[in-house]
Amino acid sequence: MHLSLGWKAAALILFNVVLTFSAGLLARNFVLNPELAKVERINDEKILHQLEVIEGLIQNNMAESANRIKAIAARIDGNHWERFATSLSELAAASELSYVIAATSDGGLLQVRPGKYFDASESPTPQDINRILNLVRQHEAVNQTLVTLLEGKHGPMIIAAARLQRAEEKMQQGPSLFVAVSHIDAAFIQRINLLSGVELTLISDQQFDQLRTSPRALSGLRSTDNQLHWNVNGVDGKPVLTAAISLPPRSYDDQFFSPTLAIALLITLATWCIAIWLLHRTIISPMNNASKTLQSIMEDKDYGRQLEYKHYDEFGRLVAFCNKLLGMVDKHTTELQALSLTDPLTELNNRRAFDTQSQKFWALAERSNTRMALIAFDIDHFKSYNDRYGHPAGDKVIKAFAGILEHTFKRASDVVARVGGEEFLVITQDTPAGACLVLTNRVLQELRDLRLEHTGNPVGCVTASAGVFQATPDANLSLEIALIRADEILYAAKHEGRNRAMYSDALVNSMSTIKTADIHQLPRNS
């Protein structure tokens, strides 16, 4: 199978696209993407670690708030609890809390004071306070501050609780449980966002249930929608708070074959299609046209025809060289054709040229019903002349006789040819019988008038014989038959003694000798 240059170029480009795209795809998926994923994971872990640090700071602040309340209570004796209530209110109002709680261990004395971030719509319910106090009472470590998360009516809240151990006689005189509470609401999340520099969004219970079905959602890994999920557990180890961290889009595409790659491939293919079209238009199509033109030149042998190309680039220079070469071939072909159709000694037509031209004129005469005359000439005793006087002298005789024929039969429709060593043929059309005979005799007489010595000829000079056949071509009379008949008449003239011409317009047995005395001279302008 032979592919054209255009298809070869297209196949090569397609192979290059596929190879390059495959290599890039493999390098992206197995070299670049894993490295980018590693960097991304490190950054994500830094964000989670930063949130854990912030979580620790919040826990410390909450614990400090609870311990400050405990310290104030420790300095109050049993007779000045009113001062504790005032100090508790001042401390709560100045702290970044929702509210604070002070209570006795049995719940007999309870005080709740609003903090700096208290929201009336999030006021604690008795159920919330009882749950907080019950949780604190269950905490066994008396000297250790409890910091944990608890789900309340208005959402999750972070609590820090401290217990004050009193002497038995003072247990009923003042509070021994101190709790600092901060509701984790939108304002609280906003404060964390400012501290962390990331965007946190609380996850509802319904959203949390949906997240549990995703294997990556709660694993600490980035999800497909570029989110991390941060969980904070309560004292029972179960998540109380889940927040989504919105992250910037990934700097890489982790899908094996993504829409981005598909678009890139389509753009690449479209670009190469345009490149192939331009290649075909600017190079391949002109080459095809040049190839077709060269094939046509070769088939028609029209070497004078030129290739066409407007631009003078590399291919243009090649076309210019081809045109120059075609010009040389045309010149040499013309010269060779001239040599192949011309007798080199006399510069008359040779037998090949005579056959070509006589066929054309014979066919034309047959269509137009015009009479044609075929005249065969032969120089008498020419072999003995060459033997006696040498070939150079014989060549001079041939050239002299050719000159006589050329200036005698000079019409455009006359064909004069040397067809053998001393043999000549003339074909002339639409010539009256008398004029044809006069011209034939004139040729023979002019040769005699040259008085070229020839001792081997009874006359003593060079002479010639001629056979004239005149007829109208038709379907039954071909050129070949007419030539045979002219030769028969010529040999009849030679048989009669040479130095004469014989004429016939019949195919057989009707010949007459032409004598000089029987011919009337034609006018000079005929």
Side-chain angles (χ1 to χ4, degrees):
M1 186 173 92
H2 299 285
L3 292 177
S4 65
L5 186 60
W7 282 110
K8 288 180 180 178
L12 182 62
I13 290 173
L14 181 61
F15 175 75
N16 181 50
V17 170
V18 172
L19 183 62
T20 304
F21 190 80
S22 299
L25 190 64
L26 293 174
R28 188 203 70 152
N29 290 334
F30 297 104
V31 178
L32 181 60
N33 278 3
E35 291 298 321
L36 293 176
K38 185 185 296 185
V39 173
E40 179 188 83
R41 181 58 187 159
I42 291 173
N43 292 332
D44 291 348
E45 289 177 351
K46 286 181 179 180
I47 293 175
L48 292 176
H49 179 69
Q50 182 179 2
L51 291 175
E52 291 174 357
V53 171
I54 293 174
E55 179 185 358
L57 292 176
I58 293 174
Q59 289 177 352
N60 290 336
N61 289 335
M62 294 291 292
E64 289 178 2
S65 298
N67 288 328
R68 283 199 299 270
I69 300 172
K70 174 183 174 182
I72 293 173
R75 292 194 297 268
I76 302 297
D77 56 24
N79 299 321
H80 299 88
W81 286 115
E82 294 80 2
R83 290 172 54 192
F84 172 75
T86 303
S87 298
L88 181 63
S89 297
E90 293 175 354
L91 177 61
S95 64
E96 296 181 351
L97 301 172
S98 297
Y99 53 88
V100 295
I101 301 173
T104 59
S105 58
D106 58 359
L109 176 64
L110 176 66
Q111 298 183 44
V112 178
R113 297 290 185 267
K116 181 179 179 180
Y117 293 110
F118 177 76
D119 187 347
S121 63
E122 298 178 349
S123 298
T125 63
Q127 292 81 3
D128 289 341
I129 294 175
N130 287 332
R131 288 187 60 198
I132 293 172
L133 294 177
N134 289 333
L135 180 62
V136 173
R137 291 190 188 99
Q138 295 172 6
H139 184 55
E140 297 178 355
V142 177
N143 297 323
Q144 184 178 0
T145 304
L146 171 67
V147 181
T148 187
L149 267 72
L150 189 66
E151 185 69 33
K153 179 180 179 181
H154 303 294
M157 51 187 173
I158 183 170
I159 65 172
R163 297 177 66 176
L164 178 62
Q165 188 174 9
R166 298 177 182 276
E168 187 66 27
E169 63 274 7
K170 296 183 177 180
M171 285 294 292
Q172 302 299 324
Q173 297 181 11
S176 60
L177 301 179
F178 309 98
V179 183
V181 181
S182 283
H183 277 286
I184 303 177
D185 53 12
F188 185 87
I189 294 297
Q190 183 63 31
R191 294 196 298 273
I192 295 179
N193 290 344
L194 292 175
L195 286 173
S196 62
V198 297
E199 183 180 351
L200 289 176
T201 305
L202 286 177
I203 298 297
S204 64
D205 292 340
Q206 183 179 3
Q207 291 174 325
F208 181 77
D209 292 337
Q210 293 176 353
L211 287 175
R212 295 176 67 179
T213 62
S214 176
R216 292 173 63 98
L218 301 176
S219 63
L221 299 177
R222 181 189 291 241
S223 64
T224 55
D225 56 352
N226 294 313
Q227 285 189 343
L228 283 174
H229 295 91
W230 178 46
N231 297 325
V232 182
N233 299 328
V235 291
D236 56 358
K238 296 181 180 180
V240 177
L241 169 68
T242 301
I245 307 168
S246 298
L247 300 173
R250 279 183 166 152
S251 58
Y252 68 98
D253 195 345
D254 60 347
Q255 296 184 17
F256 187 81
F257 194 79
S258 62
T260 303
L261 287 177
I263 293 173
L265 179 60
L266 290 176
I267 293 175
T268 303
L269 290 176
T271 303
W272 277 114
C273 286
I274 295 174
I276 292 173
W277 178 78
L278 291 175
L279 179 67
H280 184 273
R281 181 180 178 85
T282 57
I283 297 178
I284 297 176
S285 181
M287 290 179 66
N288 288 335
N289 293 335
S291 176
K292 291 178 182 178
T293 303
L294 285 174
Q295 184 178 3
S296 176
I297 290 173
M298 182 179 65
E299 292 174 351
D300 300 339
K301 297 182 180 179
D302 183 14
Y303 302 110
R305 188 175 171 186
Q306 297 284 289
L307 302 178
E308 295 182 0
Y309 188 71
K310 299 179 181 179
H311 310 289
Y312 195 71
D313 48 20
E314 289 81 356
F315 184 67
R317 289 193 290 273
L318 179 62
V319 168
F321 288 135
C322 288
N323 286 335
K324 186 176 181 180
L325 182 61
L326 285 173
M328 296 173 62
V329 172
D330 182 58
K331 179 182 177 182
H332 293 163
T333 302
T334 302
E335 293 174 353
L336 289 174
Q337 286 179 344
L339 291 174
S340 67
L341 298 175
T342 303
D343 177 65
L345 178 62
T346 63
E347 295 185 357
L348 294 177
N349 294 313
N350 60 14
R351 183 58 185 254
R352 181 181 178 186
F354 178 83
D355 290 342
T356 301
Q357 296 186 55
S358 59
Q359 287 284 359
K360 179 178 66 175
F361 288 126
W362 193 267
L364 180 63
E366 183 178 353
R367 290 194 298 270
S368 60
N369 198 30
T370 303
R371 286 175 66 82
M372 297 289 292
L374 275 171
I375 309 171
F377 291 94
D378 187 90
I379 300 176
D380 299 329
H381 305 290
F382 188 71
K383 184 178 184 303
S384 62
Y385 186 88
N386 274 339
D387 293 342
R388 183 178 295 270
Y389 298 98
H391 287 284
D395 290 344
K396 290 181 180 179
V397 171
I398 294 294
K399 292 175 68 176
F401 190 62
I404 296 171
L405 290 174
E406 193 170 20
H407 78 256
T408 301
F409 298 96
K410 54 189 176 183
R411 295 188 307 174
S413 58
D414 296 337
V415 180
V416 181
R418 181 190 177 197
V419 295
E422 69 276 13
E423 298 176 4
F424 296 82
L425 281 175
V426 176
I427 185 169
T428 179
Q429 62 177 334
D430 200 18
T431 303
C436 185
L437 298 177
V438 168
L439 292 173
T440 303
N441 187 70
R442 180 182 295 174
V443 169
L444 299 182
Q445 184 60 48
E446 288 188 11
L447 179 61
R448 288 192 293 266
D449 290 344
L450 292 178
R451 299 298 179 183
L452 300 174
E453 181 183 356
H454 185 3
T455 57
N457 191 331
V459 181
C461 63
V462 176
T463 60
S465 301
V468 182
F469 176 69
Q470 194 168 29
T472 301
D474 56 28
N476 297 319
L477 181 58
S478 65
L479 177 61
E480 289 76 14
I481 296 175
L483 286 171
I484 293 173
R485 184 58 177 153
D487 278 340
E488 290 176 350
I489 298 171
L490 170 62
Y491 285 110
K494 297 176 76 67
H495 183 72
E496 290 294 325
R498 295 183 174 83
N499 189 24
R500 71 192 66 209
M502 297 190 73
Y503 167 85
S504 177
D505 58 2
L507 288 178
V508 292
N509 299 329
S510 178
M511 291 177 281
S512 59
T513 302
I514 304 172
K515 297 181 180 179
T516 304
D518 299 332
I519 301 302
H520 299 282
Q521 296 293 326
L522 291 176
R524 291 297 179 184
N525 60 357
S526 60

